[in-house]
Amino acid sequence: MQVKMSISLLFFLLFLSDLSLSSSLDCNAADRTTLLNIKSELGNPPELSTWLPATNCCTWSNVYCSDTGRINNVYLFSLNISTTIPPSFGDLPKLETIQLQTIPGLYGTIPPSFSKLHKLEILFLTDTSVTGTIPDFLSRTNLSALDLHNNKFSGPIPMSLTKLPRLQFLDLSGNSFSGTIPPGLLHGTDRSYLYLARNKLSGEIPEDYGNGDIDTIDLSHNRLTGDPSFLFGLTKPMTKIDLSWNQLEFDMTRVAFPHHLNYLDLSHNRIKGKVPKSLQDVQLRFLNFSYNELCGELPKGRFMANYKADSYIHNKCLCGTPLPPCKP
């Protein structure tokens, strides 16, 4: 979780590095009116006490302006409110980032007015009580990062997300999404990240996620089946793979794990075969193969000494250090 939060923060900081905090320039009058409408729709929370009429909204808390005085970032955290997402967000035409995070009293669905936000690049809507499905109209935005983790969304992951040509960070974990994983959710020419953990997803993992420049893939705690071995390979750029708590089946004996990998969790599946010798050349900070059907002697040497017995427990017949010796 800490790694994922730091990646989300990185996207936000990279965005902020392009912002000009032009407090000396008065904000656009229409944007000021819209922000006051948003404040009212949120029930006038005390955290927005600086949002006052006839003042420069570029100096208000929880917003940033562009160098032309247009509001392009609204970030709201830990508000003690009970209401729906303000539809007036759609009346900020230059908005590039919306962050609504750790607001459990925020409920309802994503409002249709978001379809007007053609410049929206980052949407972080996390740890709320927002429900419903992901609306198709989000494909009309310019999203490169979409984080909807720990809400109450349900239904399938819509194919419309594949129409976002710049999307390279997608976190839908901690919801109730069902159905299969659509292929082609991630795009862009830089590192990409896919988090779909703790949902009700089923079916096989699309093979196109074994291609491209994916850094992190976390599909844990779902109902996925099939053979995911196409995700592995010496030259793959992945640093984290978590497929734990699924129903995946494959023979791991000849798998070659990516050299850049530092986190690997394949526990609680139906994986057969032996632990491959290639693992000894991969320096992992976390490894878990427990609760599978693996058998045979564990490889020795190099980085294998870093892993304890709990990385291998509850398999069919694994043996050798750090487990009990193999029987002659």
Side-chain angles (χ1 to χ4, degrees):
M1 181 64 72
Q2 183 178 2
V3 173
K4 182 170 68 175
M5 289 178 66
S6 65
I7 293 170
S8 300
L9 181 61
L10 175 61
F11 268 87
F12 184 48
L13 292 178
L14 287 174
F15 176 80
L16 291 185
S17 67
D18 293 331
L19 292 177
S20 174
L21 308 182
S22 308
S23 58
S24 61
L25 180 68
D26 195 10
C27 69
N28 177 271
D31 287 356
R32 177 168 48 230
T33 298
T34 297
L35 288 175
L36 292 172
N37 289 338
I38 290 173
K39 178 183 178 181
S40 176
E41 290 165 354
L42 290 172
N44 297 306
E47 292 86 353
L48 304 183
S49 61
T50 63
W51 293 23
L52 297 172
T55 61
N56 181 3
C57 65
C58 287
T59 66
W60 294 358
S61 66
N62 303 94
V63 300
Y64 285 101
C65 283
S66 71
D67 56 6
T68 60
R70 300 306 301 264
I71 296 295
N72 58 13
N73 185 329
V74 179
Y75 56 100
L76 304 174
F77 301 90
S78 304
L79 300 182
N80 184 19
I81 59 174
S82 179
T83 188
T84 57
I85 300 173
S88 291
F89 273 114
D91 297 327
L92 293 171
K94 304 298 182 181
L95 202 56
E96 298 178 13
T97 295
I98 298 175
Q99 288 182 277
L100 303 173
Q101 298 184 272
T102 319
I103 310 176
L106 197 65
Y107 60 88
T109 60
I110 297 176
S113 60
F114 275 42
S115 64
K116 298 187 291 182
L117 299 174
H118 303 301
K119 293 185 177 294
L120 189 65
E121 297 180 12
I122 298 174
L123 175 58
F124 288 171
L125 174 61
T126 66
D127 296 285
T128 75
S129 299
V130 173
T131 58
T133 59
I134 298 178
D136 288 340
F137 55 70
L138 285 185
S139 64
R140 304 175 196 170
T141 65
N142 193 34
L143 286 173
S144 62
L146 176 62
D147 189 346
L148 302 179
H149 79 261
N150 291 352
N151 292 294
K152 298 182 179 180
F153 288 103
S154 58
I157 298 173
M159 285 295 296
S160 58
L161 290 184
T162 66
K163 299 177 182 179
L164 291 165
R166 299 180 62 245
L167 189 65
Q168 61 188 90
F169 182 95
L170 179 62
D171 188 349
L172 305 181
S173 56
N175 284 283
S176 296
F177 290 109
S178 58
T180 59
I181 300 173
L185 288 171
L186 298 177
H187 302 281
T189 57
D190 205 353
R191 290 293 178 94
S192 53
Y193 305 82
L194 182 65
Y195 298 93
L196 303 179
R198 303 187 314 281
N199 280 289
K200 300 175 182 178
L201 299 169
S202 59
E204 299 188 1
I205 302 168
E207 290 198 13
D208 70 326
Y209 295 112
N211 304 318
D213 200 15
I214 298 179
D215 178 280
T216 297
I217 185 165
D218 185 349
L219 309 178
S220 60
H221 292 265
N222 280 290
R223 303 165 184 174
L224 301 172
T225 57
D227 180 354
S229 58
F230 58 85
L231 295 173
F232 309 120
L234 291 177
T235 61
K236 303 282 188 181
M238 293 187 187
T239 64
K240 176 179 179 178
I241 299 175
D242 190 344
L243 306 178
S244 61
W245 292 90
N246 280 289
Q247 301 166 29
L248 300 168
E249 298 185 53
F250 67 103
D251 189 324
M252 197 166 67
T253 305
R254 293 180 176 82
V255 166
F257 293 107
H259 276 164
H260 297 290
L261 200 63
N262 60 54
Y263 186 106
L264 179 62
D265 192 345
L266 302 179
S267 64
H268 295 270
N269 280 289
R270 300 170 183 174
I271 303 170
K272 299 177 174 63
K274 299 180 179 181
V275 174
K277 292 183 178 180
S278 63
L279 188 65
Q280 64 189 6
D281 297 319
V282 183
Q283 188 173 8
L284 296 167
R285 62 178 178 81
F286 182 86
L287 172 68
N288 195 349
F289 289 157
S290 65
Y291 292 89
N292 279 289
E293 300 173 22
L294 297 167
C295 197
E297 186 174 10
L298 292 170
K300 300 176 182 178
R302 290 184 61 78
F303 299 117
M304 296 303 296
N306 297 340
Y307 313 130
K308 307 302 182 184
D310 57 3
S311 295
Y312 309 108
I313 60 173
H314 294 283
N315 273 282
K316 187 175 180 181
C317 50
L318 285 178
C319 57
T321 308
L323 297 175
C326 298
K327 296 180 181 179

